[in-house]
Amino acid sequence: MKLTLNLRARRYGFDSRDYQIWKEDTFTQTIEAPHTALLICDVWDRHWSRGARERLDAMVPRMASVINVARSRGINIIHSPSDTMDFYMDYAARKRLKEIPKMAVPDELLRDDPMLPIDDSDGGSDTPDSTQQPVWTCQHPGIFIDESRDVISDNGIEIYSYLCDKKIQKLLIMGVHTNMCVLDRSFGIKQMVKWGVDVVLVRDLTDTMYSPSKAPYVSHDEGTKLVVRFIEAFWCPSMTSSDLIKL
């Protein structure tokens, strides 16, 4: 099955009067579902930040619908709840990926890696919370894992090997948190782009760890938008989930 993605990126350039600007660039691409994968990043069952937990809980029903429709259309599904692989050690979806021979990763592409447009040095919670700690045990129960088809991993080399084995040409990423795990995990946007993987961020099914008490002193939602624009400028284009499932 072929699917059309409406993508958005940001390009540095000049306006008609030769002033430096960032331009929004929108374009479409057609993808083959069997050669596309959708990765769900760190959609955990719990989080130490109440704000992060509540926003994720609100997103999960939409995420679940998008994942189910994507799977039904032939898109490959990768579940990546970091630090919880012991929970899944007996799952067929975990064993399936572990059985794939490890591929040698290519030399990393050289990329600019500018600072984020937000200050998340305090952990990024916008609600009063306890100390930062890994309280998650598995993926959010609202996300269905199809044991007959899906795979589970939090290891970048395992996932890269899976992409090669399945001849994946496009990797879609949704999940949390955009300024941390989505960008920086071993399977995240930065690493996959450096290995030459064609990546797209699903921008309406993500969130940031950002507190309005920190620079640039904007609302939490605006902080998320700034990080998405940063990714569109320096790492990969974005899309919305409506390209996979109609609102």
Side-chain angles (χ1 to χ4, degrees):
M1 176 180 287
K2 292 185 177 181
L3 301 171
T4 298
L5 304 183
N6 296 287
L7 304 180
R8 187 178 79 185
R10 297 178 70 229
R11 315 289 183 197
Y12 170 76
F14 294 85
D15 66 11
S16 59
R17 299 177 59 205
D18 270 352
Y19 282 90
Q20 300 175 49
I21 60 170
W22 283 94
K23 302 176 183 179
E24 183 177 292
D25 181 18
T26 58
F27 54 102
T28 62
Q29 285 185 354
T30 300
I31 61 172
E32 297 279 354
H35 298 296
T36 302
L38 174 60
L39 184 148
I40 303 101
C41 175
D42 291 356
V43 178
W44 288 309
D45 57 337
R46 290 181 245 171
H47 200 280
W48 60 268
S49 167
R50 176 172 62 85
R53 183 174 64 252
E54 291 176 353
R55 280 187 295 273
L56 181 59
D57 285 345
M59 276 195 294
V60 160
R62 175 69 176 179
M63 285 182 166
S65 295
V66 170
I67 293 164
N68 291 341
V69 169
R71 185 188 294 112
S72 72
R73 293 181 175 178
I75 291 175
N76 303 277
I77 307 299
I78 307 169
H79 303 270
S80 298
S82 296
D83 310 322
T84 68
M85 291 303 101
D86 286 348
F87 183 91
Y88 294 105
M89 62 186 300
D90 294 325
Y91 275 58
R94 176 71 185 127
K95 293 177 180 179
R96 180 176 300 112
L97 195 145
K98 289 183 71 175
E99 291 171 355
I100 294 173
K102 299 292 193 302
M103 294 288 296
V105 297
D107 293 337
E108 292 189 358
L109 300 174
L110 297 177
R111 302 281 302 199
D112 290 335
D113 190 5
M115 291 179 59
L116 286 168
I118 61 170
D119 180 356
D120 57 12
S121 59
D122 63 347
S125 181
D126 60 336
T127 51
D129 299 293
S130 57
T131 305
Q132 300 178 46
Q133 54 185 314
V135 297
W136 39 86
T137 60
C138 61
Q139 188 166 260
H140 196 289
I143 304 296
F144 170 65
I145 298 174
D146 187 337
E147 287 274 64
S148 69
R149 295 187 49 187
D150 299 355
V151 295
I152 302 172
S153 177
D154 65 352
N155 180 282
I157 293 176
E158 284 185 356
I159 291 172
Y160 178 80
S161 300
Y162 171 79
L163 300 179
C164 294
D165 183 73
K166 298 288 285 186
K167 297 180 172 56
I168 299 299
Q169 299 171 1
K170 183 80 72 177
L171 177 63
L172 315 178
I173 297 182
M174 67 169 65
V176 294
H177 288 93
T178 316
N179 54 317
M180 296 180 178
C181 302
V182 172
L183 271 175
D184 295 326
R185 289 290 189 189
S186 66
F187 55 81
I189 288 174
K190 288 183 180 180
Q191 187 60 72
M192 288 298 163
V193 168
K194 289 177 182 178
W195 283 339
V197 178
D198 191 354
V199 182
V200 175
L201 171 69
V202 184
R203 67 177 179 268
D204 61 320
L205 293 179
T206 190
D207 187 29
T208 54
M209 291 299 295
Y210 168 68
S211 168
S213 66
K214 293 288 188 179
Y217 309 108
V218 296
S219 70
H220 178 89
D221 287 348
E222 185 59 30
T224 299
K225 291 177 182 177
L226 288 173
V227 176
V228 169
R229 291 177 196 139
F230 169 85
I231 290 172
E232 292 169 344
F234 296 105
W235 290 103
C236 70
S238 75
M239 59 178 280
T240 65
S241 61
S242 58
D243 285 347
L244 301 175
I245 179 172
K246 299 305 179 185
L247 293 170

